[in-house]
Every structure is written in structure tokens, then in C-alpha cells.
Amino acid sequence: MRANVKEILLRNAAMLFSRSGYNAVSLRDVAKAAGVNVGSLTYHFGSKANLLREIYERHTHPMNARRLELLGEARRISDPDERLMAILRAYVVPAFVSSSDGDGGGAEFTRMRAVLSAEGNPDAQAIIADAFDQTSRTFIEALAECVPGASLESLVWRSQFLLGGLYYALINPERITRLSNGAVDGNDRDAAIEHLVEATYASFRSLSETASVVAAADNTKPSGKRVSE
């Protein structure tokens, strides 16, 4: 019975956080939505921060594990361009295919992530960092291997743009359908994955081209040394 109550609390907390954010939702709000008293909530979790942490752990562990598994396969590809594409797919695909309550994805959890990231609550920020930062750094390192010479600044910014595109594609696919006047199905996950990966591939691939141009320009500059006659 306790396990059932705990699951109900987790589901209702995620729903409320995704709709109203972390700051606006109280433990009493969660308990009311779950149909239990506040004492039951504090018994299972102790605090609102612990409640949020468990929501993140349950959702992100499976997704991060799948991402790292696919990343390991991608890093064994010798061709850097093919490896870059595979690394990006390793990051994107698990977020789309994880769509149930327990496997790391779904629009509700993704919406909650986006809302909480924007709120800036210190507790939530620490939980988000614990859930994703190490995996994100591992992906950035792998991306750097595919685009030699790219600056860390460029890699981190473009990784952030990828995350933003991923968020929006997951939580608001209807906008794609609306802007295309119905010609494009925003809920077509396979198409969303392909377009997001291709666009991000072009973004990261251009870093290698830019680095090559800069290196070539440096090589053509005068050395500043006078040649003896």
C-alpha cells in the first residue's frame, strides 16, 4: 500500500510541477492532488526537494544509461563525420523513444524540465545539474573529438542549442503542424529526430571547417623573421 501511495505522489507532483513550476507548488498541493494527507508525503520524501530529486532519478537514470550505451557504440566509428552523426543520434533518440512514466521521457517530464530550468530555484538547479551535467560533459568531450580545433565555448553553446530544440520539439509539436498549415505532422517523431540531428550535425560540422580556415590563415601569415640575403 505504501508503495502505491508513493507512486501516486510522484505522478501528481510531476504533473503539478510541469504545469505550475516548482516554486508555486506546495507539499499541501501535491498531497491534495494525490488524495492523501501531508504527513504521508513527508513520511515518504521528507521535503519537496527530496520529492523532486526522486522524480528526476526515476526518469533520468534509464535515459542517461541508454544515451551512454549508444554513445559507446558511436565512439567506435572510425569516420569522424559518421561518428558525429551517431553521437548526436545517441543523445536525441532516447529522449524521443522514452515516452512512459518510468523510462525517462514523455512530454510531461520534458515540460517539467523546461519549466524548472527557467525558474532558477537553487534546489531545482542542483537536482538538474546532478541528473544531467556529467552525461552532458561526456557528450561534449565526444563531440570535440569529431571536430578538432573547435573551441570549448562553441561546443558548449551549440550543445545548449541542441537541448533547447529538443525541449521544444517534445513539448510543442503542434506548432510545427500549425505553421505548416497541416502539411507537416509535428507528432512524427522519426521526422523530428532526423531534422534535429541533421540541423545539429551541420552546426557542429561547421566548427571543424571554421577551425581549418583559421589554421590555414595562420599558416599563411608572415613569420616576422627576416630572411638573410
Side-chain angles (χ1 to χ4, degrees):
M1 183 63 179
R2 286 180 178 175
N4 291 335
V5 170
K6 188 174 184 178
E7 295 298 328
I8 292 170
L9 287 166
L10 288 166
R11 286 198 301 270
N12 280 276
M15 175 192 69
L16 291 173
F17 291 151
S18 72
R19 293 178 181 178
S20 303
Y22 181 78
N23 294 332
V25 176
S26 67
L27 291 179
R28 189 173 299 277
D29 293 330
V30 176
K32 182 178 179 180
V36 302
N37 58 53
V38 176
S40 180
L41 198 155
T42 55
Y43 169 80
H44 286 290
F45 303 103
S47 67
K48 189 167 73 166
N50 288 339
L51 172 62
L52 181 63
R53 186 175 297 279
E54 183 145 351
I55 293 171
Y56 263 83
E57 288 176 352
R58 291 193 173 204
H59 281 276
T60 60
H61 282 182
M63 182 164 60
N64 284 338
R66 182 57 177 156
R67 278 176 164 169
L68 293 174
E69 179 185 2
L70 293 174
L71 178 62
E73 297 173 3
R75 294 182 95 163
R76 291 195 288 271
I77 298 174
S78 58
D79 181 84
D81 288 339
E82 293 180 9
R83 186 165 72 249
L84 173 58
M85 185 72 77
I87 289 170
L88 294 172
R89 289 186 64 83
Y91 185 82
V92 170
V93 170
F96 277 90
V97 301
S98 296
S99 58
S100 71
D101 288 339
D103 61 5
E108 185 174 82
F109 178 65
T110 302
R111 186 178 296 108
M112 187 190 79
R113 290 170 57 193
V115 170
L116 267 59
S117 294
E119 275 190 331
N121 179 279
D123 288 341
Q125 285 183 326
I127 291 167
I128 293 168
D130 288 344
F132 289 110
D133 280 8
Q134 186 53 53
T135 300
S136 296
R137 289 191 181 98
T138 301
F139 268 88
I140 290 171
E141 291 170 3
L143 290 165
E145 295 169 0
C146 300
V147 284
S151 69
L152 178 61
E153 178 182 4
S154 296
L155 290 166
V156 171
W157 271 112
R158 295 183 194 212
S159 297
Q160 186 79 339
F161 298 154
L162 167 59
L163 179 59
L166 182 60
Y167 274 166
Y168 213 66
L170 283 166
I171 67 176
N172 194 14
E174 295 80 10
R175 190 168 189 268
I176 297 293
T177 305
R178 187 174 68 252
L179 289 178
S180 66
N181 295 320
V184 179
D185 180 8
N187 289 297
D188 184 341
R189 292 191 169 193
D190 290 337
I193 290 169
E194 292 308 312
H195 283 292
L196 184 56
V197 169
E198 288 176 10
T200 309
Y201 169 84
S203 175
F204 278 101
R205 186 67 183 81
S206 69
L207 294 178
S208 182
E209 296 168 357
T210 300
S212 298
V213 170
V214 171
D218 288 342
N219 289 335
T220 60
K221 290 180 180 178
S223 64
K225 297 180 180 179
R226 297 185 62 181
V227 179
S228 299
E229 295 182 16

